[in-house]
Amino acid sequence: MATALGAPSGEAAPRRRARRALLTAVVAAALLSPSPGAAAAAPSDRAPNARPATTLPSGFLPAQVPATDPEFVDVPLPTNPISLSLLDVAAESAELESADDALEGTEDRRDGAIAEQDRLRRHLVDLADERVETVDLLAQRRADEEQRGIERLVAVEFHAQRVRDVEEAQGTVRRAQRAVAKAQDALRELLIANYMSESSNISDISAVLSGQSGVNDALVRLSLGESSIAARVADIEDRLADLRDTEAALDRAEAARDAAARERDRAQQAERDAVAAREGTEQHIRDIDAESERTVREEADAVAEVGRREVDVLVARAEVTPARLRADVVGDGLDFQLVALDAWLKAAASADCKVEWWMLAAISKIEGRHGTFGGGQLGARGYPTARIIGPALNGTNGNANIGDTDGGLYDDDSVLDHAVGPMQFIPSTWARWGRDGDGDGAADPHTFYDATAGAVAYLCAGRTDLTDEAQLRAAYFSYNHSLTYVAAVLSEARRYQAALQIGPHVPAEPAPGP
């Protein structure tokens, strides 16, 4: 921690002076009641070897005035992040519970937005994979369509050939029919001629000519007795056999033609199915592309929504830390806020001698009731909501008579000094032992971090180890030359030591500057 008390550069000092002037105008006539520890304090007790000053000492900065500063925001300074040692320390307040609930709600909504973003991204990946598979399938569909087209052409040509086969067979049948008719005509002419020349059995001849009896009828052959007629009959029989053969061949050709027609129809339907499958696959690719475009837009909206929800979480989380610092530490016998414990841990860690937090807590309890004297509370940055200013050190009620040493800078009194702040420093003592405990570039006895850091510096002066009770008692006695005071503070210290066990301060990384 920086201990230099030099004024900050730029416009910080003028702004603080303006705020200080505003405070002086508001509270100059309204001094607070004395704190429990201030009444017993004497100037020499508070400021060993200090010289009273009649002018503002060099290096002093005007006190911060949150109560009258419209720009003040009660959040931890970037230079003073909360100690990591406090992560597991239980604290409670209605404000903290509300802030935790709000944070949980915003985190749930953020997580829901992240889940939706992740779902859309997975869907995009799935769509991309599906498109690759569908493009591969389209290639197969096109190859299948081409093959079905070839098969359809082959089937059409095969059917056409079978049709020609039928036509050829039909011609053969017609020729066979004509041959049979011609042979029958020849036999008819021969029989008629034979009838004209010789007597014949007219009924047998009629039977032959009418085709109602076989031409090899024995009666006809015997009755006619002519070899030429037998030859004609045999020729008819041959022609009839040829006709039967050609008719059978025609039947086979027609059956083959019909089978080829069915195969052609099947091939044509297969080609149509292949075309429909290819077109369906192409449409599916177009549908995937359209779905991908929609999902990309939705994913972009989801990313923006996650960003908005992340901002909401950061805002809600920013409310939790100050609410937690303002909350009360939970535990039997514990009566302070977490911000006070944070200040004690950090002051002890930066001390020039060995100090424990509970040693500082005891002084804080007696001197200013942990920053709550006068009815106030500590804010997250360490400022009491009610500034603690002791009675005028005018030599009455056991107090020393100390004229003004700070020009009314800290105690709003340009005539007499007052003990100020949660650790009740006299301005002249603060001039020597004041420290910048929160890293804001100012040493302000009204803020808990600076006052605690100053108290540690004061207690460690000339000492090495306050865990040694003799040194601790001597340190307490130097703070207030009263054995009763030492006993009261030591009692509180042991009580806090027993009530809460916590490790030393573990610093967090300071937040980056603007």
Side-chain angles (χ1 to χ4, degrees):
M1 291 292 201
T3 58
L5 301 178
S9 60
E11 300 180 356
R15 271 201 311 270
R16 286 174 178 149
R17 292 191 191 97
R19 294 170 188 167
R20 178 60 187 170
L22 178 60
L23 172 67
T24 302
V26 173
V27 299
L31 299 180
L32 297 177
S33 301
S35 68
S44 60
D45 300 337
R46 300 284 184 177
N49 302 317
R51 296 190 304 270
T54 56
T55 60
L56 185 66
S58 61
F60 268 69
L61 292 175
Q64 301 283 331
V65 190
T68 59
D69 183 359
E71 298 179 4
F72 180 77
V73 179
D74 189 30
V75 296
L77 291 167
T79 55
N80 189 34
I82 187 171
S83 174
L84 297 180
S85 301
L86 301 182
L87 292 178
D88 296 327
V89 174
E92 64 181 13
S93 71
E95 179 195 15
L96 178 57
E97 183 177 0
S98 176
D100 282 337
D101 289 344
L103 175 60
E104 183 176 356
T106 57
E107 286 178 335
D108 288 344
R109 289 187 288 274
R110 185 271 318 272
D111 293 344
I114 290 175
E116 176 62 10
Q117 172 185 279
D118 291 344
R119 184 192 69 79
L120 291 170
R121 287 177 174 173
R122 289 194 300 271
H123 187 44
L124 281 174
V125 172
D126 292 341
L127 287 171
D129 292 342
E130 184 178 1
R131 194 183 194 285
V132 170
E133 294 173 359
T134 308
V135 168
D136 291 342
L137 179 61
L138 178 60
Q140 298 174 18
R141 297 291 194 213
R142 286 172 174 167
D144 184 61
E145 179 184 353
E146 182 179 0
Q147 181 61 33
R148 299 292 84 75
I150 293 172
E151 292 175 357
R152 191 259 308 163
L153 291 174
V154 172
V156 168
E157 177 58 30
F158 185 76
H159 174 260
Q161 181 61 48
R162 298 293 78 77
V163 169
R164 289 192 292 272
D165 290 347
V166 168
E167 291 173 348
E168 183 178 345
Q170 288 174 337
T172 302
V173 168
R174 287 193 294 272
R175 286 192 296 274
Q177 288 173 338
R178 288 194 296 271
V180 169
K182 184 177 180 181
Q184 288 176 336
D185 289 342
L187 177 59
R188 185 179 298 110
E189 292 173 356
L190 180 61
L191 290 174
I192 292 172
N194 187 65
Y195 176 76
M196 297 294 293
S197 62
E198 297 183 10
S199 175
S200 300
N201 187 318
I202 193 63
S203 62
D204 293 338
I205 294 172
S206 298
V208 170
L209 295 176
S210 65
Q212 296 175 358
S213 175
V215 294
N216 59 349
D217 191 307
L219 292 176
V220 174
R221 293 173 186 240
L222 290 173
S223 64
L224 295 177
E226 289 291 336
S227 61
S228 59
I229 294 174
R232 293 292 182 273
V233 171
D235 184 53
I236 290 173
E237 289 179 342
D238 290 341
R239 299 289 81 76
L240 288 173
D242 290 342
L243 178 59
R244 286 191 295 272
D245 290 342
T246 57
E247 288 175 340
L250 175 60
D251 290 342
R252 291 192 297 274
E254 288 176 338
R257 177 203 62 193
D258 293 343
R262 290 191 295 273
E263 179 60 22
R264 176 206 61 195
D265 293 343
R266 186 204 64 78
Q268 289 174 335
Q269 184 60 48
E271 183 183 30
R272 287 192 292 270
D273 291 344
V275 170
R278 185 260 304 162
E279 291 176 344
T281 304
E282 289 174 339
Q283 182 60 48
H284 187 48
I285 291 175
R286 290 191 290 271
D287 292 342
I288 291 174
D289 291 342
E291 177 68 14
S292 296
E293 290 177 4
R294 287 192 299 272
T295 305
V296 166
R297 291 193 296 270
E298 292 174 0
E299 194 264 347
D301 292 341
V303 169
E305 179 66 11
V306 168
R308 288 190 291 270
R309 295 303 183 188
E310 289 286 7
V311 171
D312 292 344
V313 168
L314 291 175
V315 171
R317 189 171 292 157
E319 296 295 330
V320 169
T321 297
R324 179 168 163 75
L325 283 167
R326 288 188 288 263
D328 297 321
V329 177
V330 176
D332 292 338
L334 300 181
D335 54 0
F336 48 78
Q337 296 166 252
L338 193 70
V339 62
L341 181 57
D342 188 50
W344 299 328
L345 286 174
K346 291 173 179 175
S350 65
D352 292 332
C353 65
K354 189 173 182 181
V355 182
E356 299 290 344
W357 69 269
W358 43 269
M359 301 174 183
L360 304 173
I363 295 178
S364 172
K365 168 72 172 182
I366 298 299
E367 294 294 338
R369 298 177 188 169
H370 308 310
T372 67
F373 185 80
Q377 293 289 319
L378 281 181
R381 195 175 287 188
Y383 286 104
T385 57
R387 296 172 76 224
I388 303 174
I389 301 177
L393 299 178
N394 56 11
T396 65
N397 298 319
N399 290 325
N401 188 348
I402 302 180
D404 176 62
T405 62
D406 66 339
L409 177 65
Y410 297 116
D411 55 15
D412 300 321
D413 188 343
S414 59
V415 177
L416 295 170
D417 268 350
H418 302 245
V420 296
M423 300 301 276
Q424 287 292 278
F425 272 96
I426 296 172
S428 57
T429 308
W430 186 252
R432 178 177 180 182
W433 301 104
R435 298 292 185 269
D436 176 12
D438 54 16
D440 67 348
D444 183 354
H446 286 289
T447 179
F448 208 87
Y449 286 100
D450 292 358
T452 302
V456 165
Y458 186 92
L459 293 171
C460 284
R463 301 176 184 88
T464 58
D465 186 359
L466 298 190
T467 60
D468 176 72
E469 184 159 334
Q471 292 192 44
L472 178 60
R473 285 178 176 273
Y476 285 160
F477 188 78
S478 73
Y479 212 87
N480 189 325
H481 288 183
S482 167
L483 294 178
T484 302
Y485 176 86
V486 171
V489 174
L490 190 58
S491 175
E492 292 291 343
R494 296 306 183 192
R495 184 172 67 83
Y496 288 136
Q497 181 186 19
L500 179 64
Q501 285 73 48
I502 185 172
H505 166 55
V506 176
E509 288 293 328

